[in-house]
Amino acid sequence: MSMDKDEEKIAGRLHGEQIEPEKADNLLERLIYVLIIAVMISFAQTVLGVMTVIQFIIMLVNNKQPNERIADFGTDLGIWVAKAARYQTAASTVKPWPWTDLD
């Protein structure tokens, strides 16, 4: 797959059509979701750090070749963090996974 196709696919996952909630959260509900998502982002950063170290070790022993599944996981995690940040900053009313599908 070419780099343009990869970037196009990622852009579609980030900015593509998403199902808007039927009713907007009130501010207290939104605050609770924002706090939960903040904890989840913190956990995601830890997972990303661990996966980075594992990927680096794999590349050391595998002639600089990364593990494709770990690389894809990193892309998925990045997209999730972006969607979570969009919800937290009110750029979107769509909550990230686990409240919506992980596409």
Side-chain angles (χ1 to χ4, degrees):
M1 199 190 273
S2 71
M3 186 61 103
D4 290 337
K5 287 282 189 192
D6 286 344
E7 290 174 9
E8 191 176 300
K9 181 179 174 185
I10 291 169
R13 290 178 66 191
L14 276 173
H15 304 292
E17 185 178 343
Q18 296 183 23
I19 299 171
E20 294 289 326
E22 291 181 17
K23 69 174 189 75
D25 298 330
N26 68 44
L27 286 180
L28 180 58
E29 287 176 321
R30 186 172 190 91
L31 175 63
I32 292 168
Y33 285 121
V34 165
L35 293 174
I36 292 169
I37 292 168
V39 170
M40 293 171 74
I41 287 174
S42 179
F43 178 72
Q45 287 178 314
T46 301
V47 170
L48 178 61
V50 169
M51 296 309 289
T52 300
V53 170
I54 291 170
Q55 183 75 298
F56 187 79
I57 292 169
I58 288 171
M59 290 174 69
L60 274 175
V61 299
N62 200 19
N63 198 24
K64 298 181 183 178
Q65 295 299 312
N67 178 291
E68 192 172 319
R69 288 175 52 191
I70 293 175
D72 290 343
F73 174 76
T75 299
D76 293 342
L77 184 61
I79 290 169
W80 179 85
V81 169
K83 287 182 176 185
R86 288 178 47 76
Y87 179 80
Q88 285 189 308
T89 60
S92 173
T93 58
V94 178
K95 293 176 209 67
W97 177 89
W99 297 280
T100 56
D101 289 339
L102 183 64
D103 56 357

